């Protein structure tokens, strides 16, 4: 059996044993809640997960305990598979990037649009306003219980070949991207050769030269040590990485109404905590990367060149979104 398949099988077996041994009645001990995410134990998502665990264990007087599975353990790094597992009830709580969710529902790819939310104030307006509500409503049509929308930070471009100052510098580069149609078209429009790959395989792929580059939030680049395997980073701020916190329907619907309130509030607080940590960590992460890599910040004119190259992408996906959603997100006309 392939090593990754064996790890996934053993993880699922352990989850089944945990579920079988918890919540069985008086004297059975606390019910174990399984929380999964793809990032490391030093990431903002882990901070959110730990906040969630703290609140749940305190507010339920220890009736529930939360076990956190970081680093994509539950699905061996396959983020789409993790979502399928969540929808099937194989685990209970999840944080995943909106980019991954958009491969299940094109409406959710509104969060993947490049260069539409240039400031964090505008991002907060989405998270706390009508845009966030519309996105969570759409998310709820995809077999899970939506809890909150948060953010990890602005996505940047890393590679081993040359500084990326404008679209021409991406020509021919094999760039790992999340497997969402909009991102594949985005990088093709910039002249790159986009490659779909599980996130947990990216470090080795960069190291071995299987790919030339990848894109990531600065803090994610630091906590995953990507500066060890990439030489250049361009701070294009081309997309803000929204994430969704969700519950398995089976899990949430099996709670009492009182516990549903506790879990929903804990999930929202965890989402806010992870977002605040991500925002605070971004500046420090960039400082760390400046000491390890060649960092380039494109000029306003260079950013305009990137945006001009996006015209066919904006046009192609326009009809995927309602006029209301386009207006709230500032869709380019």
């Amino acid at each position: 059996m392939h090593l990754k398949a064996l790890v996934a099988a053993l993880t699922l077996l352990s989850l089944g044993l945990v579920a079988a041994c918890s919540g069985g009645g008086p004297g059975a001990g606390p019910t174990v809640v399984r929380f999964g995410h793809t990032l490391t134990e030093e990431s903002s998502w882990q901070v959110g997960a730990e906040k969630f665990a703290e609140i749940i264990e305190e507010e339920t007087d220890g009736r529930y305990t939360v076990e956190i599975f970081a680093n994509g353990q539950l699905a061996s790094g396959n983020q789409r598979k993790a979502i399928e597992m969540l929808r099937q009830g194989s685990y209970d709580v999840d944080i995943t990037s909106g980019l991954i969710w958009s491969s299940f529902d094109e409406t959710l790819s509104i969060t993947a649009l490049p260069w539409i939310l240039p400031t964090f104030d505008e991002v907060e307006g989405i998270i706390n306003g009508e845009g966030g509500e519309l996105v969570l409503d759409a998310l709820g049509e995809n077999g899970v219980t939506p809890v909150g929308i948060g953010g990890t930070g602005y996505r940047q471009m890393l590679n081993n070949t040359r500084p990326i100052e404008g679209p021409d510098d991406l020509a021919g580069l094999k760039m790992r991207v999340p497997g969402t149609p909009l991102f594949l078209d985005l990088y093709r429009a910039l002249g790159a050769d986009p490659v779909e790959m599980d996130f947990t395989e990216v470090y080795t792929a960069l190291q071995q030269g299987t790919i030339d580059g990848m894109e990531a939030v600065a803090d994610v680049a630091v906590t995953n040590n990507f500066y060890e395997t990439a030489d250049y980073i361009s701070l294009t701020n081309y997309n803000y990485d929204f994430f969704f916190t969700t519950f398995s329907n089976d899990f949430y619907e099996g709670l009492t109404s009182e516990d549903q309130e506790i879990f929903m509030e804990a999930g929202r607080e965890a989402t806010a905590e992870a977002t605040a940590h991500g925002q605070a960590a971004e500046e420090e992460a960039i400082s760390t990367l400046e000491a390890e890599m060649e960092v380039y910040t494109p000029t306003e004119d260079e950013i305009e060149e990137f945006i001009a190259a996006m015209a066919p992408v904006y046009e192609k996906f326009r009809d995927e979104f309602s006029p209301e959603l386009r207006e709230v997100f500032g869709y380019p006309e």
Side-chain angles (χ1 to χ4, degrees):
M1 181 181 291
H2 192 279
L3 179 59
K4 288 181 69 175
L6 177 60
V7 170
L10 290 174
T11 299
L12 286 174
L13 176 60
S14 69
L15 290 180
L17 290 174
V18 166
C21 295
S22 63
T31 298
V32 177
V33 178
R34 298 149 296 179
F35 192 129
H37 69 82
T38 309
L39 299 186
T40 69
E41 292 173 347
E42 291 76 40
S43 68
S44 59
W45 291 4
Q46 180 75 10
V47 169
E50 290 174 358
K51 181 68 173 179
F52 180 83
E54 175 188 325
I55 294 171
I56 290 302
E57 291 172 23
E58 179 178 336
E59 292 297 321
T60 65
D61 296 321
R63 289 184 293 110
Y64 291 89
T65 186
V66 179
E67 186 170 1
I68 302 168
F69 296 85
N71 296 300
Q73 293 176 61
L74 296 179
S76 299
N78 186 323
Q79 292 166 286
R80 282 182 53 86
K81 181 180 177 182
I83 289 175
E84 295 284 8
M85 290 170 59
L86 182 76
R87 298 202 294 191
Q88 293 164 5
S90 297
Y91 67 107
D92 309 309
V93 192
D94 177 80
I95 289 179
T96 292
S97 171
L99 295 178
I100 306 303
W101 272 106
S102 70
S103 63
F104 290 87
D105 185 340
E106 285 286 2
T107 300
L108 300 174
S109 65
I110 191 78
T111 62
L113 284 170
W115 288 289
I116 61 167
L117 299 170
T119 70
F120 190 73
D121 285 345
E122 290 170 287
V123 169
E124 282 192 311
I126 294 295
I127 290 174
N128 299 319
E130 184 182 3
E133 293 176 3
L134 290 171
V135 168
L136 290 177
D137 285 346
L139 183 62
E141 299 297 318
N142 285 273
V144 294
T145 300
V147 178
I149 178 173
T152 315
Y154 282 99
R155 304 180 81 94
Q156 317 296 355
M157 300 175 180
L158 298 81
N159 82 101
N160 277 322
T161 305
R162 54 183 171 264
I164 296 172
E165 300 177 5
D168 291 346
D169 296 315
L170 280 157
L173 293 185
K174 291 184 178 179
M175 297 287 288
R176 181 272 173 184
V177 299
T180 176
L182 194 150
F183 259 41
L184 292 169
D185 285 347
L186 185 164
Y187 274 87
R188 290 185 185 118
L190 293 173
D193 179 11
V195 177
E196 293 185 58
M197 180 181 293
D198 288 348
F199 182 76
T200 52
E201 298 176 357
V202 174
Y203 183 97
T204 301
L206 279 168
Q207 194 174 47
Q208 296 178 346
T210 307
I211 54 175
D212 300 310
M214 49 92 69
E215 53 79 54
V217 173
D219 186 51
V220 173
V222 170
T223 56
N224 286 272
N225 301 321
F226 288 135
Y227 55 81
E228 296 176 350
T229 55
D231 297 325
Y232 305 99
I233 182 169
S234 292
L235 304 180
T236 57
N237 284 3
Y238 78 96
N239 171 259
Y240 189 83
D241 185 50
F242 289 98
F243 69 79
F244 304 142
T245 305
T246 52
F247 294 144
S248 156
N249 282 344
D250 288 346
F251 166 72
Y252 188 71
E253 292 167 5
L255 298 171
T256 65
S257 58
E258 292 82 2
D259 282 344
Q260 284 182 345
E261 290 182 14
I262 292 172
F263 273 83
M264 187 61 70
E265 182 57 30
R268 288 169 178 162
E269 288 190 37
T271 301
E273 185 84 2
T275 300
H277 183 275
Q279 184 184 10
E282 189 164 33
E283 186 175 340
E284 181 179 347
I286 289 172
S287 295
T288 298
L289 295 173
E290 286 175 337
E292 301 288 345
M293 309 173 70
E294 183 174 326
V295 178
Y296 184 77
T297 303
T299 66
E300 289 185 13
D301 287 344
E302 288 166 340
I303 293 296
E304 287 301 320
E305 290 180 25
F306 281 110
I307 294 173
M310 292 296 96
V313 177
Y314 296 142
E315 184 60 32
K316 178 178 178 177
F317 286 87
R318 183 179 308 278
D319 291 340
E320 299 292 342
F321 314 115
S322 67
E324 185 179 20
L325 201 57
R326 292 201 303 267
E327 180 179 356
V328 171
F329 272 82
Y331 202 97
E333 296 300 331

